[in-house]
Amino acid sequence: MADASPVIAVRNLTKSFSGKTVVNKLSLQINPGEIYGFLGPNGSGKTTFIRMLSGLLRPDSGSGTCLGFDILRESGKIKPLIGYMAQRFSLYEDLSVRENLNFMARIYRINNMRRTVDETVERMGLSRFANQLAGTLSGGWKQRLALSACLLHRPRLLLLDEPTAGVDPKARRDFWDDIYSLAAEGVTSLISTHYMDEAERCHRLAYLAYGDLLVSGTADEVVSRSGLKTRAVSGANLHLLSPELKPLAGVEQVVPFGSTLHVSGHDEELLDQSLNSLKNGKYTWQKIDANLEEVFISLMQEREGG
Ligand SMILES: Nc1ncnc2c1ncn2[C@@H]1O[C@H](COP(=O)(O)OP(=O)(O)O)[C@@H](O)[C@H]1O
Ligand SMILES: [Mg+2]
């Protein structure tokens, strides 16, 4: 059972639409039970990549396996083994929660349909909504129903495309609790998200920018490899400080963060000289770790040559 071979292993996956490359030679490996985050601006190819893995879209070039099957030649074998939650997940709003699940169970040709649906309703805490029309559920519960639907056939891999977009914090936390317990059972998840707190929850993550994979690794690795240094500046009237800081040498980013100002750059010496050149006593600053958002913005700045 304990199979250490990767769940996803792709090399140089490439896809163009109308001559425009939207996924550019993407190579990636994801291990069993891993929760892998996919981040990057809209239009970066996250959805396209996920669809290529699921066998819904054929890559132009590159190769790879998903759950041990060749993504080009054996996509038919992959589809029944994955749970795919599309970006704008679809539910039948005029069917009840249970009817939605029954319908999906039939599509997946699940044996013991009744028992499986009952167990899923129970496990996912949907009991009190079982007979309610899906269209009348809150956003968080709709998302939970959509996740339940893609778990019915007990997939070993979940491909979740922005599953928590627009979902409130409590429902997002419940969702992540589910993903963690599934991971403990060996279920692997690839999750695209724009939320930085979710990025930090992933075992590893990748950042895509318009087709290119700019960085990947654990959150800590991504931050330390970036070499970005950040200082938290405190004091009165920080909003006046911001325009003063931005043009100084070594200062690449100035971002309000709660009651402080985060000031970042790669050249520590220049950065600190610039901070020390501020009028003495008025402001204090301390070294802190750069956060993922600062790192991602920095990567985009570098990519755009500024
Ligand atoms: N079926 C398609 N036909 C043409 N262009 C597409 C198609 N699917 C995606 N694209 C384009 O590919 C780029 C990447 O899109 P997408 O994979 O949806 O990115 P993301 O999920 O990161 O926002 C976008 O510019 C998008 O317009
Ligand atoms: Mg997308």
Side-chain angles (χ1 to χ4, degrees):
M1 278 300 284
D3 183 1
S5 55
V7 173
I8 293 170
V10 295
R11 278 194 65 78
N12 295 326
L13 274 202
T14 299
K15 184 76 193 175
S16 301
F17 291 114
S18 327
K20 186 176 146 229
T21 304
V22 303
V23 173
N24 186 20
K25 294 188 179 159
L26 203 155
S27 300
L28 196 69
Q29 196 162 311
I30 304 180
N31 300 313
E34 214 170 13
I35 301 173
Y36 201 96
F38 233 38
L39 283 100
N42 289 331
S44 285
K46 301 181 295 295
T47 297
T48 303
F49 180 76
I50 289 173
R51 292 181 67 216
M52 288 195 282
L53 286 179
S54 68
L56 289 167
L57 190 68
R58 198 179 159 81
D60 296 337
S61 58
S63 61
T65 58
C66 183
L67 294 163
F69 295 108
D70 189 294
I71 57 166
L72 287 161
R73 285 179 285 110
E74 298 176 299
S75 62
K77 289 183 180 156
I78 299 171
K79 279 180 206 157
L81 300 176
I82 59 173
Y84 174 50
M85 193 165 152
Q87 192 164 356
R88 268 168 285 282
F89 51 82
S90 53
L91 297 165
Y92 292 94
E93 303 237 317
D94 48 0
L95 294 185
S96 74
V97 165
R98 186 180 294 280
E99 286 164 343
N100 265 283
L101 293 172
N102 285 339
F103 182 77
M104 287 306 287
R106 253 178 244 124
I107 289 181
Y108 284 117
R109 297 209 180 94
I110 284 168
N111 301 322
N112 303 321
M113 185 174 101
R114 202 190 164 84
R115 205 184 76 205
T116 305
V117 168
D118 282 347
E119 278 171 8
T120 305
V121 163
E122 181 73 23
R123 171 176 185 162
M124 300 298 283
L126 288 167
S127 302
R128 63 197 159 106
F129 302 115
N131 298 314
Q132 191 171 321
L133 294 186
T136 66
L137 296 173
S138 70
W141 284 104
K142 277 183 186 162
Q143 176 240 25
R144 213 163 166 75
L145 173 57
L147 178 64
S148 307
C150 63
L151 291 173
L152 284 169
H153 59 303
R154 303 205 174 284
R156 290 165 55 205
L157 170 63
L158 293 173
L159 301 175
L160 307 172
D161 200 356
E162 294 190 32
T164 57
V167 167
D168 71 56
K170 169 71 167 70
R172 290 205 292 130
R173 178 173 293 183
D174 292 344
F175 166 87
W176 277 89
D177 284 345
D178 293 331
I179 297 304
Y180 276 113
S181 15
L182 287 160
E185 293 165 24
V187 177
T188 307
S189 293
L190 172 60
I191 306 179
S192 70
T193 178
H194 287 296
Y195 296 106
M196 294 301 139
D197 60 316
E198 295 189 346
E200 281 167 11
R201 287 171 184 236
C202 295
H203 296 132
R204 285 193 299 147
L205 57 101
Y207 189 80
L208 262 76
Y210 309 114
D212 295 321
L213 195 157
L214 297 190
V215 68
S216 66
T218 66
D220 284 346
E221 283 167 358
V222 166
V223 170
S224 69
R225 277 183 208 148
S226 75
L228 194 69
K229 307 294 175 197
T230 297
R231 309 293 184 242
V233 183
S234 309
N237 297 320
L238 285 173
H239 62 286
L240 299 176
L241 185 61
S242 188
E244 200 181 318
L245 272 169
K246 276 178 183 163
L248 297 185
V251 175
E252 295 167 26
Q253 280 183 55
V254 183
V255 190
F257 202 90
S259 59
T260 68
L261 210 53
H262 281 195
V263 186
S264 313
H266 284 85
D267 189 328
E268 207 161 6
E269 215 170 305
L270 274 183
L271 182 66
D272 291 352
Q273 269 174 20
S274 289
L275 284 164
N276 286 331
S277 75
L278 299 171
K279 291 173 207 85
N280 260 343
K282 246 174 123 183
Y283 303 103
T284 57
W285 56 266
Q286 57 177 16
K287 295 183 180 191
I288 55 165
D289 289 335
N291 63 35
L292 278 176
E293 182 177 282
E294 285 149 8
V295 168
F296 294 155
I297 287 174
S298 166
L299 285 167
M300 294 303 286
Q301 286 175 342
E302 280 170 25
R303 189 176 187 275
E304 284 150 20

